[in-house]
Short mmCIF file of all heavy atoms in Angstrom, two decimals:
data_model
loop_
_atom_site.label_atom_id
_atom_site.label_comp_id
_atom_site.label_asym_id
_atom_site.label_seq_id
_atom_site.Cartn_x
_atom_site.Cartn_y
_atom_site.Cartn_z
N TYR A 167 87.94 250.28 76.79
CA TYR A 167 87.94 251.62 76.21
C TYR A 167 89.40 252.08 76.11
O TYR A 167 90.29 251.44 76.70
CB TYR A 167 87.16 252.59 77.11
CG TYR A 167 87.40 252.35 78.57
CD1 TYR A 167 88.54 252.84 79.22
CD2 TYR A 167 86.52 251.56 79.31
CE1 TYR A 167 88.78 252.56 80.55
CE2 TYR A 167 86.74 251.28 80.65
CZ TYR A 167 87.88 251.79 81.27
OH TYR A 167 88.12 251.50 82.59
N SER A 168 89.60 253.16 75.35
CA SER A 168 90.96 253.71 75.31
C SER A 168 90.90 255.22 75.14
O SER A 168 89.96 255.75 74.53
CB SER A 168 91.76 253.09 74.17
OG SER A 168 91.39 253.65 72.94
N TYR A 169 91.85 255.91 75.72
CA TYR A 169 92.00 257.35 75.53
C TYR A 169 93.48 257.65 75.74
O TYR A 169 94.13 257.05 76.60
CB TYR A 169 91.13 258.16 76.49
CG TYR A 169 91.41 257.92 77.96
CD1 TYR A 169 92.32 258.72 78.65
CD2 TYR A 169 90.77 256.89 78.64
CE1 TYR A 169 92.58 258.50 79.99
CE2 TYR A 169 91.03 256.67 79.98
CZ TYR A 169 91.94 257.47 80.65
OH TYR A 169 92.21 257.25 81.97
N TYR A 170 94.02 258.53 74.90
CA TYR A 170 95.46 258.79 74.91
C TYR A 170 96.17 257.45 74.91
O TYR A 170 95.92 256.60 74.07
CB TYR A 170 95.86 259.68 76.10
CG TYR A 170 95.13 260.99 76.12
CD1 TYR A 170 94.39 261.39 77.23
CD2 TYR A 170 95.14 261.83 75.00
CE1 TYR A 170 93.69 262.60 77.23
CE2 TYR A 170 94.44 263.03 74.99
CZ TYR A 170 93.72 263.41 76.11
OH TYR A 170 93.03 264.59 76.11
N HIS A 172 96.05 255.22 77.31
CA HIS A 172 95.38 254.34 78.28
C HIS A 172 94.45 253.41 77.53
O HIS A 172 93.49 253.86 76.92
CB HIS A 172 94.60 255.21 79.27
CG HIS A 172 93.98 254.44 80.38
ND1 HIS A 172 94.47 254.48 81.67
CD2 HIS A 172 92.91 253.62 80.42
CE1 HIS A 172 93.72 253.72 82.46
NE2 HIS A 172 92.77 253.18 81.72
N ARG A 282 83.05 248.05 68.48
CA ARG A 282 83.65 249.20 67.80
C ARG A 282 84.80 248.69 66.95
O ARG A 282 85.49 247.75 67.34
CB ARG A 282 84.15 250.17 68.86
CG ARG A 282 84.68 251.47 68.28
CD ARG A 282 85.26 252.30 69.37
NE ARG A 282 84.23 253.15 69.96
CZ ARG A 282 84.48 254.35 70.50
NH1 ARG A 282 85.73 254.80 70.50
NH2 ARG A 282 83.52 255.06 71.03
N GLU A 284 88.33 249.73 65.11
CA GLU A 284 89.37 250.76 64.98
C GLU A 284 90.56 250.15 64.27
O GLU A 284 91.08 249.13 64.71
CB GLU A 284 89.80 251.22 66.38
CG GLU A 284 89.36 252.61 66.71
CD GLU A 284 89.59 252.95 68.19
OE1 GLU A 284 89.06 252.21 69.04
OE2 GLU A 284 90.31 253.91 68.45
N SER A 291 83.18 247.95 73.07
CA SER A 291 83.46 249.26 73.66
C SER A 291 82.46 249.55 74.77
O SER A 291 81.26 249.33 74.59
CB SER A 291 83.35 250.34 72.58
OG SER A 291 83.31 251.62 73.18
N PHE A 293 81.77 252.49 76.02
CA PHE A 293 81.14 253.81 75.94
C PHE A 293 79.68 253.64 75.58
O PHE A 293 79.36 253.04 74.56
CB PHE A 293 81.82 254.68 74.88
CG PHE A 293 83.16 255.20 75.30
CD1 PHE A 293 84.32 254.70 74.72
CD2 PHE A 293 83.27 256.19 76.27
CE1 PHE A 293 85.58 255.17 75.11
CE2 PHE A 293 84.52 256.66 76.67
CZ PHE A 293 85.66 256.15 76.10
N SER A 313 79.30 260.43 75.08
CA SER A 313 79.00 259.66 76.29
C SER A 313 80.29 259.43 77.05
O SER A 313 81.38 259.58 76.50
CB SER A 313 78.34 258.32 75.94
OG SER A 313 79.24 257.49 75.24
N VAL A 315 82.46 257.06 80.26
CA VAL A 315 82.55 255.81 81.00
C VAL A 315 83.44 256.04 82.22
O VAL A 315 84.39 256.82 82.16
CB VAL A 315 83.10 254.67 80.09
CG1 VAL A 315 84.58 254.85 79.80
CG2 VAL A 315 82.85 253.32 80.71
N PHE A 332 86.69 260.05 84.56
CA PHE A 332 85.79 259.57 83.50
C PHE A 332 86.46 259.79 82.15
O PHE A 332 87.08 260.83 81.92
CB PHE A 332 84.47 260.34 83.53
CG PHE A 332 83.67 260.07 84.77
CD1 PHE A 332 83.89 260.81 85.92
CD2 PHE A 332 82.70 259.08 84.78
CE1 PHE A 332 83.16 260.55 87.08
CE2 PHE A 332 81.97 258.82 85.93
CZ PHE A 332 82.19 259.55 87.09
N SER A 333 86.32 258.82 81.29
CA SER A 333 86.76 259.02 79.92
C SER A 333 85.51 259.29 79.10
O SER A 333 84.47 258.69 79.33
CB SER A 333 87.47 257.77 79.39
OG SER A 333 87.72 257.91 78.02
N TYR A 334 85.61 260.23 78.15
CA TYR A 334 84.44 260.47 77.32
C TYR A 334 84.80 260.32 75.85
O TYR A 334 85.95 260.56 75.43
CB TYR A 334 83.81 261.84 77.59
CG TYR A 334 84.73 263.03 77.49
CD1 TYR A 334 84.91 263.70 76.27
CD2 TYR A 334 85.43 263.49 78.60
CE1 TYR A 334 85.76 264.79 76.18
CE2 TYR A 334 86.28 264.58 78.52
CZ TYR A 334 86.44 265.23 77.30
OH TYR A 334 87.30 266.30 77.20
N SER A 335 83.83 259.89 75.07
CA SER A 335 84.02 259.66 73.64
C SER A 335 83.09 260.57 72.87
O SER A 335 81.88 260.60 73.14
CB SER A 335 83.72 258.19 73.32
OG SER A 335 83.87 257.95 71.95
N ILE A 336 83.67 261.33 71.95
CA ILE A 336 82.88 262.25 71.13
C ILE A 336 82.88 261.76 69.70
O ILE A 336 83.95 261.46 69.15
CB ILE A 336 83.47 263.68 71.15
CG1 ILE A 336 83.75 264.13 72.58
CG2 ILE A 336 82.55 264.65 70.41
CD1 ILE A 336 82.53 264.35 73.43
N ARG A 337 81.69 261.62 69.12
CA ARG A 337 81.59 261.16 67.73
C ARG A 337 80.90 262.26 66.93
O ARG A 337 79.80 262.67 67.26
CB ARG A 337 80.74 259.90 67.60
CG ARG A 337 81.13 258.70 68.45
CD ARG A 337 80.73 258.77 69.90
NE ARG A 337 80.31 257.54 70.49
CZ ARG A 337 79.95 257.40 71.74
NH1 ARG A 337 79.98 258.45 72.55
NH2 ARG A 337 79.56 256.23 72.21
N VAL A 379 90.75 269.39 68.99
CA VAL A 379 90.39 268.29 69.89
C VAL A 379 91.49 267.24 69.77
O VAL A 379 91.80 266.78 68.66
CB VAL A 379 89.01 267.66 69.55
CG1 VAL A 379 87.90 268.61 69.91
CG2 VAL A 379 88.90 267.24 68.11
N ILE A 380 92.08 266.89 70.89
CA ILE A 380 93.28 266.03 70.97
C ILE A 380 94.28 266.41 69.87
O ILE A 380 94.85 265.57 69.19
CB ILE A 380 92.97 264.51 70.94
CG1 ILE A 380 92.16 264.08 69.71
CG2 ILE A 380 92.22 264.11 72.20
CD1 ILE A 380 92.20 262.54 69.51
N PHE A 393 83.82 260.81 62.90
CA PHE A 393 85.14 261.05 63.47
C PHE A 393 85.00 260.87 64.97
O PHE A 393 84.13 261.50 65.58
CB PHE A 393 85.63 262.46 63.14
CG PHE A 393 86.89 262.83 63.88
CD1 PHE A 393 88.14 262.44 63.40
CD2 PHE A 393 86.83 263.53 65.08
CE1 PHE A 393 89.30 262.75 64.10
CE2 PHE A 393 87.99 263.85 65.79
CZ PHE A 393 89.22 263.45 65.29
N VAL A 394 85.79 260.00 65.54
CA VAL A 394 85.65 259.66 66.96
C VAL A 394 86.94 259.97 67.70
O VAL A 394 88.02 259.66 67.22
CB VAL A 394 85.34 258.15 67.12
CG1 VAL A 394 85.12 257.80 68.58
CG2 VAL A 394 84.14 257.76 66.29
N TYR A 395 86.80 260.58 68.87
CA TYR A 395 88.00 260.73 69.69
C TYR A 395 87.63 260.62 71.16
O TYR A 395 86.46 260.77 71.54
CB TYR A 395 88.70 262.07 69.41
CG TYR A 395 88.12 263.26 70.15
CD1 TYR A 395 88.60 263.64 71.40
CD2 TYR A 395 87.09 264.01 69.59
CE1 TYR A 395 88.06 264.73 72.08
CE2 TYR A 395 86.55 265.10 70.25
CZ TYR A 395 87.03 265.45 71.49
OH TYR A 395 86.50 266.53 72.15
N GLU A 396 88.62 260.31 71.98
CA GLU A 396 88.38 260.17 73.42
C GLU A 396 89.31 261.07 74.20
O GLU A 396 90.44 261.35 73.79
CB GLU A 396 88.64 258.73 73.88
CG GLU A 396 87.52 257.76 73.55
CD GLU A 396 87.57 257.29 72.11
OE1 GLU A 396 88.67 257.22 71.56
OE2 GLU A 396 86.49 257.00 71.54
N SER A 397 88.81 261.48 75.33
CA SER A 397 89.64 262.23 76.27
C SER A 397 89.17 261.85 77.66
O SER A 397 88.37 260.91 77.81
CB SER A 397 89.49 263.73 76.02
OG SER A 397 90.36 264.44 76.87
N CYS A 398 89.65 262.56 78.68
CA CYS A 398 89.21 262.19 80.03
C CYS A 398 89.15 263.42 80.91
O CYS A 398 89.72 264.47 80.60
CB CYS A 398 90.14 261.16 80.65
SG CYS A 398 91.78 261.80 80.99
#
Side-chain angles (χ1 to χ4, degrees):
Chain A
Y167 39 81
S168 77
Y169 60 92
Y170 303 124
H172 186 107
R282 185 185 271 210
E284 251 170 303
S291 167
F293 286 108
S313 66
V315 72
F332 294 86
S333 172
Y334 54 89
S335 178
I336 311 292
R337 306 77 143 179
V379 289
I380 56 165
F393 171 83
V394 182
Y395 82 91
E396 282 80 30
S397 184
C398 68

